[in-house]
Amino acid sequence: MLTNKSFPAVSLVQHYGSSFCFRMVHTRRGELYNKCYRLLGVNEQSDQNTVRQAYLTLVKKLHPDSGHPEASAERFQEVDSAFRILQEKFAKARRGIVEDLREEVKVYDIKHTAPQHRQYLSFDGIGYGTPAQRQKQYQTVRAAKAQERVLEHRLSKAQATETAVMKKGDYFKKHEIKTKYGYDRVVEDLIQEAISRGDFSNLSGFGKPLPDHQSQNPYVDFTTHKMNKIMLDNGFTPEWITLHKDIRQAVDALKEDLRQLRAKLGPLPLSVREEQQWEKWLEQQQEEVTKINKMIDKFNLIVPMMNKQMVQLSLERVGNEVLEKGKHREEMVEDARQSTAKTTQTDATNRSSVLGFIGSLFS
């Protein structure tokens, strides 16, 4: 029985005309196998090896590239399809599958398929261009969809967390508390009952702040916190703390030396001779800066918190800061003069007060 199926893509049939033909044939399974045997030119009782030899003989003649006078692409297609159908029949027989030869089967006969539409059979029909370009576009679309699914999962998870406990009430409203799991409801009920009985009112330290030794840095893991606590309780200080202290003292000493050297120079802008002298002093401090930077590198390796790491010291930056903000020679002289004047005034005031006190005794 032959029926012409309308097929949803009627526009394609109208566009390509008679070159596009789609037929669906209803036939019995036994008749289909007999037709395949006749196409291969063998007996209906032939075994798999005989069918294979006949197929190879026909293929050598009918292949379009064989150059044989009987070469035909259409007949080659028919022989190849018949051979594949018989191969499936022999495979089912080896597995012990018994087929009903009277059963009707559908055979789709496609005479022509527009090659420009074959690309939509792969990559879920996404993209255009060459296969490599379409694969990249397909991967991009898949990554975007995966990202959307992850975002939706996170949003749903956050909403579930927010609505896990929707309302908190007193003991009589404990059943209005919405929880995510059943055992959370049980625990919440037990806690509310204990609070209503006053079991938590007579605890030691009730209403008092927690002791300092129980405070813990949330950015430090529990093991590191306990190790540091044990070391501090036994009089030991972690190495990174002592090293940080040494670095601070070394940097302060370096800045103090530079301030003392700056006090020997005049105000900005410096003269050529003073600039040369200042650069010479900075070169002499370079070795100390190198030692400090080595200490900083070691500190960054052993410090347990990333946000506590230090940046290496720059001699040029420190020197410019001291040069701009440090006191120069004239300011030091002025400060010394003011200090001397204050000392003299204070001594005179003390002397007059002492003399006045002595005079009051004899008056």
Side-chain angles (χ1 to χ4, degrees):
M1 181 173 58
L2 178 64
T3 58
N4 292 328
K5 192 175 181 181
S6 60
F7 192 69
V10 179
S11 60
L12 293 177
V13 178
Q14 296 174 354
H15 180 74
Y16 293 104
S18 60
S19 62
F20 186 92
C21 180
F22 184 92
R23 297 183 304 165
M24 183 175 64
V25 180
H26 293 267
T27 183
R28 298 182 184 276
R29 191 181 300 276
E31 295 177 359
L32 176 62
Y33 290 155
N34 294 335
K35 181 181 178 181
C36 293
Y37 283 120
R38 289 195 298 269
L39 286 173
L40 293 175
V42 296
N43 188 8
E44 297 176 358
Q45 304 298 328
S46 301
D47 58 358
Q48 185 175 5
N49 189 25
T50 305
V51 171
R52 182 173 178 275
Q53 294 298 331
Y55 170 73
L56 294 178
T57 303
L58 290 174
V59 163
K60 293 177 182 179
K61 297 179 182 179
L62 301 178
H63 196 278
D65 298 334
S66 63
H68 197 273
E70 299 181 9
S72 172
E74 184 176 356
R75 286 203 58 196
F76 173 78
Q77 200 79 7
E78 293 177 354
V79 170
D80 186 69
S81 300
F83 176 71
R84 293 179 183 276
I85 293 174
L86 292 178
Q87 287 293 101
E88 294 181 1
K89 173 182 178 298
F90 293 136
K92 291 180 180 179
R94 286 196 305 269
R95 294 196 296 267
I97 300 176
V98 180
E99 296 183 291
D100 185 7
L101 299 180
R102 296 183 180 181
E103 179 185 2
E104 289 189 353
V105 294
K106 298 177 181 179
V107 180
Y108 296 93
D109 183 13
I110 302 176
K111 296 298 183 182
H112 176 72
T113 303
Q116 60 267 31
H117 293 286
R118 292 176 184 171
Q119 61 173 336
Y120 299 108
L121 299 178
S122 61
F123 303 116
D124 297 338
I126 296 173
Y128 59 90
T130 63
Q133 294 174 347
R134 294 186 62 244
Q135 183 179 10
K136 291 182 180 179
Q137 298 169 13
Y138 178 66
Q139 291 175 352
T140 303
V141 172
R142 286 191 61 189
K145 291 181 179 179
Q147 186 177 5
E148 292 178 0
R149 288 194 292 268
V150 170
L151 181 60
E152 292 176 358
H153 173 70
R154 290 181 177 178
L155 289 176
S156 61
K157 188 176 180 181
Q159 292 173 359
T161 303
E162 292 177 357
T163 57
V165 179
M166 297 179 61
K167 186 186 294 184
K168 290 185 178 180
D170 53 10
Y171 171 68
F172 299 100
K173 295 182 179 181
K174 63 179 181 298
H175 292 289
E176 295 182 3
I177 300 176
K178 306 299 181 181
T179 56
K180 191 175 182 182
Y181 302 105
Y183 58 83
D184 291 341
R185 169 65 64 81
V186 175
V187 173
E188 184 66 26
D189 290 347
L190 293 176
I191 293 175
Q192 294 295 334
E193 291 176 2
I195 292 175
S196 63
R197 293 195 304 267
D199 294 344
F200 297 148
S201 301
N202 55 354
L203 298 177
S204 59
F206 179 78
K208 299 180 181 179
L210 295 174
D212 294 337
H213 63 82
Q214 292 186 1
S215 61
Q216 179 181 348
N217 191 342
Y219 300 102
V220 179
D221 60 285
F222 180 75
T223 304
T224 304
H225 172 74
K226 296 302 292 183
M227 290 176 60
N228 293 337
K229 182 177 180 300
I230 293 172
M231 294 175 68
L232 291 174
D233 293 343
N234 290 273
F236 295 96
T237 305
E239 183 181 4
W240 65 273
I241 294 179
T242 57
L243 187 57
H244 188 262
K245 180 179 179 181
D246 295 340
I247 293 173
R248 292 200 310 269
Q249 292 178 354
V251 173
D252 294 340
L254 175 63
K255 291 182 179 180
E256 183 62 27
D257 293 342
L258 292 177
R259 292 192 192 97
Q260 294 179 4
L261 296 173
R262 175 67 180 91
K264 300 179 182 179
L265 304 177
L268 295 177
L270 301 178
S271 62
V272 177
R273 189 181 65 83
E274 290 178 341
E275 286 184 357
Q276 294 177 354
Q277 185 68 25
W278 178 252
E279 292 178 357
K280 182 179 179 182
W281 289 338
L282 290 180
E283 291 178 357
Q284 294 175 357
Q285 300 295 333
Q286 185 62 44
E287 183 178 357
E288 183 66 22
V289 173
T290 303
K291 294 180 181 180
I292 295 175
N293 287 333
K294 289 183 179 179
M295 296 169 63
I296 292 175
D297 292 340
K298 183 179 179 181
F299 173 79
N300 291 336
L301 291 174
I302 63 177
V303 65
M305 294 169 287
M306 296 294 292
N307 58 348
K308 291 294 184 179
Q309 289 189 345
M310 303 176 65
V311 181
Q312 285 196 345
L313 185 65
S314 174
L315 180 60
E316 181 179 1
R317 180 178 57 82
V318 176
N320 293 335
E321 181 181 357
V322 174
L323 193 62
E324 294 175 0
K325 298 181 180 180
K327 294 183 178 181
H328 51 79
R329 184 172 53 245
E330 284 75 4
E331 291 180 347
M332 296 296 294
V333 173
E334 183 65 24
D335 291 344
R337 185 183 301 111
Q338 292 179 1
S339 178
T340 303
K342 288 183 180 180
T343 303
T344 305
Q345 183 178 1
T346 303
D347 293 342
T349 303
N350 292 336
R351 189 181 301 109
S352 62
S353 60
V354 171
L355 292 175
F357 175 73
I358 294 174
S360 63
L361 293 176
F362 291 99
S363 60

